[in-house]
Structure formats: structure tokens, C-alpha cells
Amino acid sequence: MATKVLVPRLGEGVDEVTITKWLKKEGDSVKELEPLLEVNTDKVDTEIPAPASGVILKIEMQEGQPAKVGQLLALIGVSGESVSSPSAPASDAPSTSAPAQKPTESQQPVTQHATRSTDLGFISPVVAKIAAERGIDLSQVTGTGLNGRITKNDVLNFVQTPPAKEAYHATRTTQHATPIVTPSAGDTLIKHTLIRKQIADHMVMSKSVSPHVLTVMEADMSKVSKHRAANKAAFERDGVNLTFTAYFMTAIVAGLKAFPNTNSSWTDEGVLVHKAVNIGMATSLGQDGLIVPVIKGADALSLLGMARTVNDLATRARSRKLQPDEVKGGTFTLTNHGISGSLFAMPIINQPQTGILGIGAMQKRAVVVDDAIAIRPMVYMSFVFDHRILDGASADWFLAKVKETLENWA
């Protein structure tokens, strides 16, 4: 009997993947646990191994297609064996980091993370995110969940049901149509990668969801630079590269602890202040875009622990070895755009977070210190925040704490 290859659960909250590359084709032999295909979720590529040895009898999902957890990908069996295309229940899905059995959207209890609309009842974050990303008016969606609550499947089914499907696509075409560009002789079309499409969708969604405001301060990095020079060799003996990023991360922790509303998310019921301090670290993947691994429990790390974690996540991000869970759960984000020489910028908030801090290139500049001109290593810090949650004063309090922590490093 043929063995089913199903989409495994790759992490908590990972319900769907995109098939990026088949490493085998129909008719090929494969050994148990040999890499069979690659999938992508949240810009993380993961290999799925073969669950058994045999021959690839049938490939059900093609490259570029989305597939839900538990969905049938392929069949492995004996050469010449006849096969059909049975549908695999989600409960058959193997799991790498969570139990296979998971309550459906309608079965999950409503928590403080849910939002409420007077007319719609409770709306879960998952439903709200899908609706925002796809421009869906939830008042047009019929809920099939508990007490008529709108579930994830209700939203996804809505865009596939005529005439709602036609109306949905007509609205999307009108609101988000890409301007027509006429190619000229000699132009080259570079096809969008999956990561580039994900980045584009997330950035457009973020700008449409929250009002972005920018505030900028500069910090004197003299004491940090001296501390780093005095301790870099000792850190290296522990196998850790002491980068400036570790100092910025630690200073952000100080700012978030002093002003907890900066470590929060917007809901229709109120501002949800997060207990966990999980800081995302925007990491460039070159021309392929960027990815944001998350330092979980950043407030519990010493400078050595922070530097070690920064090293590890950055290295594995660039070598495409992150796990899906390692790019989820961020409550704030740091982007060090100064690596390429940029002095200051206006980053886009990584939803559903409240803010993102951009760090510019460190430069020695002439500044006034105690009524005298001095040369100091300076950086501009660009803090972009959600104006629904923070006002100018509260945003500046947070940024001033980050500045104070850096300038008074001991």
C-alpha cells in the first residue's frame, strides 16, 4: 500500500506552506528520511524528508502552490503500483514541534488576543490578519463558528464563492492594481521570488493598517565603543563575536522595560501589552530580501548571551537554516540599516508590533560637549511607531531611554 507524504506541522501557528522545490520527480527512487521537497513558510525554507523508502508514484502538489498542514503532497510505493488521489485528513499530519491534533478555529476559545466588533462579534487575530491582507469586508462574510463567529475557513471560503469571488477580485483590482508598465528595448524582467512577494505583501499591509510616525535622535557611542574594545577579546575566547548589535538590543530592552506600552499591539478593545520581550532582528539575505529572526526572552539575556544569540540567528538566517518558530512571536524589531552606510531611514513597522528602531551608520562627528567641540562616534536612531498606540511624547521617552542606556554604558 502506498505511503502518503503529508504537509507536517512545522511549528505552532504554522497552518500553511508553499511548495518551493521538488528534489525528486515521479518515478524517482527515494530512501526513508532522504530530503524529498522544500517548502517555505514566513520566508523560512524547510526540507521535508521522505517518510518511507520506495518510488515516487505520484506528486499531488506542484511548485508554487500553497498547501495546508495535513494535505497530501505525494505518494510513495512500489514501482508499477496503481494509485489514486485520496484526500488526507489534517489529523494525519506528522508534527515536528507540536501535537498533530489541533483544535479548529471554531473550537479554539476566545482569549484576550481576540478583537470585538459591535456587529461582528469576536474576531480572532488570525481572521483579522487575513481580512486585512486580502482587503475583505468581514460584514459580508457569514460565520459558521461557535455562536456565529467568523472563522479562518469562512474568510478563505468567502473569496472562492461566486459571486463574492468576482466582487472580491474586482475590488482588489480597483484598489491594489499595479500600474501598467510598458517594457522598452533592452529591459530585463527579474521574476519575483516567493520571499520578495511575501515582503511586498507584508509591507503594503503594514502601511495600510497603522499610521506610521518617525522620530529621530542621535546617540554618542563613545562609552559603548570603549567597552566593546576592552571586552571583545574576552568574548572571542568564549566563541562570541561582540557586535554593536548586541548593545543596541540590550538598550532596546531597557527602553521597553521602562515604557511597556512600546512592547504592545493594537486591538479594537485596547492596547495589548506583551509580557514577553521578543525582539526581531532584520537580517539581509542579499538580493533575495530580508528575514527577521526573533530573540525570544531578550530581557533575560546578559550582554554575552545577547551577543551569542545575535551571532547564532544571523548566521543561520543567512545560511537558510532557521526554523519557522524562530521568525514568529516578535514584539519589537531592530533594523541596522547603517551597515550599508545609510545615516537614517524610515523603516516600516513589522505588524502587529508597535514600533521598529532603525540604526544608522556610526560616524565620527564634531559635537558640542560641555561648551567645547569634541569628536565623537555618533549614530542616528530612527524610531517609527504606531500613532494609534504611542504619541510623540511617549515615543520620545522610549527613544531617550535607549539613548541614555547607550551613552552611559558602564
Side-chain angles (χ1 to χ4, degrees), residues 51-389:
S53 298
V55 173
I56 309 298
L57 300 175
K58 188 174 180 61
I59 290 178
E60 296 285 345
M61 304 292 294
Q62 302 304 313
E63 293 179 359
Q65 285 187 283
K68 297 185 180 300
V69 170
Q71 192 164 350
L72 183 64
L73 295 172
L75 294 169
I76 298 175
V78 180
S79 180
E81 182 179 352
S82 61
V83 296
S84 57
S85 300
S87 297
S91 59
D92 289 341
S95 171
T96 58
S97 60
Q101 295 284 355
K102 183 178 180 180
T104 63
E105 174 75 14
S106 61
Q107 293 172 328
Q108 291 178 354
V110 177
T111 69
Q112 60 176 337
H113 295 272
T115 59
R116 177 187 287 278
S117 167
T118 303
D119 298 323
L120 302 177
F122 283 100
I123 302 298
S124 75
V126 173
V127 170
K129 179 181 178 183
I130 295 173
E133 290 178 344
R134 306 194 181 196
I136 297 172
D137 181 358
L138 289 176
S139 65
Q140 299 179 23
V141 181
T142 300
T144 62
L146 184 64
N147 298 323
R149 187 158 64 92
I150 297 174
T151 70
K152 175 183 175 181
N153 287 336
D154 292 334
V155 180
L156 295 176
N157 290 336
F158 173 78
V159 298
Q160 298 299 326
T161 305
K165 181 176 180 179
E166 294 180 7
Y168 165 75
H169 287 292
T171 302
R172 296 291 285 172
T173 300
T174 302
Q175 295 180 347
H176 302 286
T178 301
I180 297 175
V181 178
T182 304
S184 300
D187 289 354
T188 301
L189 178 65
I190 301 175
K191 293 288 187 180
H192 297 310
T193 63
L194 179 61
I195 289 179
R196 179 54 60 192
K197 287 181 179 179
Q198 290 174 331
I199 292 172
D201 289 345
H202 193 64
M203 295 299 97
V204 171
M205 180 273 289
S206 180
K207 290 288 284 187
S208 67
V209 166
S210 63
H212 285 50
V213 179
L214 169 69
T215 184
V216 180
M217 293 184 185
E218 59 179 346
D220 183 345
M221 297 291 288
S222 297
K223 291 187 177 181
V224 167
S225 297
K226 290 179 181 178
H227 185 276
R228 179 172 179 264
N231 292 275
K232 191 174 182 180
F235 276 58
E236 286 177 350
R237 286 194 291 271
D238 287 328
V240 177
N241 180 21
L242 181 56
T243 65
F244 283 105
T245 299
Y247 291 93
F248 292 127
M249 284 289 185
T250 304
I252 288 172
V253 168
L256 295 178
K257 291 175 70 173
F259 302 99
N261 273 18
T262 312
N263 192 54
S264 66
S265 297
W266 173 270
T267 77
D268 288 344
E269 291 185 54
V271 175
L272 182 63
V273 180
H274 302 296
K275 180 179 180 180
V277 178
N278 302 331
I279 306 177
M281 178 179 65
T283 305
S284 174
L285 299 178
Q287 293 185 346
D288 289 338
L290 60 84
I291 195 168
V292 187
V294 178
I295 298 176
K296 306 287 179 67
D299 53 329
L301 297 177
S302 64
L303 183 63
L304 176 61
M306 185 72 77
R308 179 178 284 115
T309 305
V310 166
N311 291 177
D312 172 59
L313 288 176
T315 299
R316 289 193 293 113
R318 295 187 180 106
S319 60
R320 312 298 176 90
K321 293 182 179 179
L322 290 174
Q323 298 299 312
D325 284 348
E326 293 178 313
V327 296
K328 290 181 174 293
T331 59
F332 192 88
T333 297
L334 168 72
T335 177
N336 192 353
H337 56 84
I339 291 176
S340 56
S342 169
L343 294 180
F344 57 84
M346 185 175 178
I348 296 178
I349 297 170
N350 189 7
Q351 296 294 334
Q353 299 166 19
T354 293
I356 181 170
L357 181 63
I359 303 295
M362 187 166 64
Q363 290 185 327
K364 288 186 176 180
R365 295 197 292 270
V367 296
V368 176
V369 179
D370 296 329
D371 293 331
I373 295 177
I375 304 299
R376 295 287 188 269
M378 307 293 292
V379 294
Y380 289 110
M381 302 184 298
S382 306
F383 178 40
V384 177
F385 59 93
D386 186 338
H387 208 350
R388 298 174 302 175
I389 298 175

